[in-house]
Amino acid sequence: MSKDFDANGFRAGVLFTRNDELFKSILATSIFMLVASPTAGLWSALLNDQGALETYVERNQEALRGAYEHITRWLRFHGVSYLPSAAGHFLMVDLRQKLLTQVEAYGSMVGITEDQNMVERERSLQGYLATQCKVVLGLGIIAGGVQSNAAVRQPLNNTPVEAVNSQAMVCNNNPRGASETISVSAGSTVGFKLDNTLYHQGPAAIYLGQVPRGQAAASWNGAGSAWFKIAEWGARFNPFQFTTQNLSQLSTTIPRNTPSGDYLLRIEQIGLHVAGKPQYYISCAQITVTGGGSGNPPKVSIPGYVSASDPGLAVNIYNPVPTSYTVPGPRVWTG
């Protein structure tokens, strides 16, 4: 039942058969024990409540279908073949084309050498995996069709920010410094090119932080009420899914009425896959807006612009499945 009902820890099962030979075979090879009273009571109540059982099965099938569609989309995107499945919790995946067949090539790839002992080899493997198993926002900024990695304050790793009142909400946890600031015309397209696809379910947004007069984007820490949202990506319904799913680039337009000057262009994607524990993936790029206007968008402080209790952060996206969704933070300013 731990598998059929997604109830980890409830190790109880039932065999119902009229096949005497099957029953004798299982009896000869298995050890049967009494089920604990609390477990027996819970399962008895569930199995005897026809209405609750039908609702549970329906929701379980819906969750399984959603998980199956999600992972198979990811596999197709990465060119990994699999055997289509009609039921169950498992999916057979063919990784032969993705795995290296020569041990020498594998060792060279991950940095393992013949003179290393087992501890050193394990460290080399861990170091390699740390560089591969990540999704980092802000690999490069796209502006005017040109990509610049040097203008992005690159995150040190893919660890999300979970405390919404943390200073890391500005541009992530102690990101690397950017070595350039690029010019962007008001009214032109800007965006972030990511190093992988977005696979965590959740919304995204792009903000502009207006650098105070007398300071520069290269040195500003993002403090103060200086931020306004210029784009957001929410959810679609029937079936429910966030529009960022499987995207590898998020782009928008600098509002034409944005005042000229230095800014931090900030992107956030919020992983909502763990109910009640939103995970922020954040990065900032340094830009100078040229040819701007005289707009005066309402501004917010980061941190301080969202609360952990906001409906868009506290939501459980699995049960019940949302029928509406509002992206956290202020409204989008279009200029």
Side-chain angles (χ1 to χ4, degrees):
M1 287 189 173
S2 64
K3 294 291 189 296
D4 291 339
F5 287 87
D6 282 339
N8 293 337
F10 284 90
R11 299 298 180 180
V14 176
L15 173 65
F16 181 83
T17 179
R18 292 188 176 92
N19 188 324
D20 290 337
E21 294 301 320
L22 174 62
F23 181 76
K24 291 177 182 178
S25 298
I26 293 178
L27 192 63
T29 58
S30 304
I31 299 176
F32 292 93
M33 295 178 291
L34 293 176
V35 177
S37 297
T39 302
L42 286 171
W43 287 121
S44 177
L46 174 63
L47 296 175
N48 282 288
D49 188 334
Q50 191 63 31
L53 186 61
E54 290 177 357
T55 300
Y56 187 93
V57 171
E58 181 181 351
R59 290 182 176 177
N60 191 36
Q61 289 175 335
E62 183 178 349
L64 282 173
R65 181 168 55 253
Y68 178 80
E69 292 174 352
H70 171 67
I71 188 62
T72 52
R73 276 197 305 269
W74 188 92
L75 291 171
R76 290 194 298 271
F77 180 85
H78 290 282
V80 179
S81 59
Y82 60 91
L83 293 178
S85 176
H89 297 74
F90 302 97
L91 185 66
M92 300 297 293
V93 178
D94 184 358
L95 295 175
R96 287 175 295 180
Q97 299 300 319
K98 298 294 182 180
L99 297 176
L100 294 174
T101 57
Q102 297 183 3
V103 175
E104 294 83 0
Y106 175 78
S108 175
M109 179 181 69
V110 302
I112 293 176
T113 59
E114 292 184 1
D115 60 337
Q116 288 181 324
N117 59 37
M118 291 303 296
V119 174
E120 292 170 335
R121 292 187 178 193
E122 182 177 354
R123 288 173 180 169
S124 295
L125 178 59
Q126 289 175 345
Y128 170 76
L129 292 176
T131 66
Q132 299 299 309
C133 302
K134 63 178 183 177
V135 175
V136 178
L137 291 186
L139 177 66
I141 179 176
I142 308 295
V146 178
Q147 178 175 328
S148 169
N149 295 354
V152 178
R153 298 180 180 180
Q154 299 286 352
L156 296 178
N157 52 50
N158 66 330
T159 302
V161 178
E162 297 182 337
V164 297
N165 58 349
S166 165
Q167 287 299 318
M169 288 289 287
V170 179
C171 291
N172 214 316
N173 285 294
N174 300 314
R176 299 181 181 91
S179 60
E180 69 178 21
T181 300
I182 62 173
S183 294
V184 182
S185 300
S188 64
T189 299
V190 294
F192 284 85
K193 177 70 174 178
L194 316 180
D195 75 337
N196 206 330
T197 58
L198 294 172
Y199 54 83
H200 287 320
Q201 286 276 5
I206 292 180
Y207 286 76
L208 278 176
Q210 188 171 20
V211 178
R213 186 174 301 177
Q215 298 188 45
S219 57
W220 185 49
N221 63 4
S225 182
W227 296 89
F228 54 99
K229 185 192 293 185
I230 61 171
E232 66 180 22
W233 290 261
R236 64 173 68 97
F237 306 91
N238 298 319
F240 174 79
Q241 182 173 323
F242 285 95
T243 58
T244 56
Q245 196 71 18
N246 294 325
L247 296 182
S248 60
Q249 180 175 323
L250 296 177
S251 300
T252 188
T253 300
I254 297 288
R256 291 187 178 277
N257 213 22
T258 302
S260 299
D262 275 12
Y263 289 83
L264 288 182
L265 183 71
R266 175 184 177 274
I267 185 173
E268 65 178 27
Q269 198 259 339
I270 311 170
L272 298 176
H273 49 291
V274 180
K277 295 182 179 180
Q279 298 180 356
Y280 273 80
Y281 298 86
I282 306 165
S283 192
C284 292
Q286 299 168 182
I287 67 172
T288 299
V289 174
T290 61
S294 57
N296 185 25
K299 299 179 181 67
V300 297
S301 297
I302 300 178
Y305 71 120
V306 294
S307 169
S309 60
D310 289 348
L313 297 180
V315 63
N316 184 331
I317 63 174
Y318 304 110
N319 185 23
V321 177
T323 56
S324 63
Y325 184 81
T326 300
V327 178
R331 292 183 178 181
V332 172
W333 184 73
T334 60

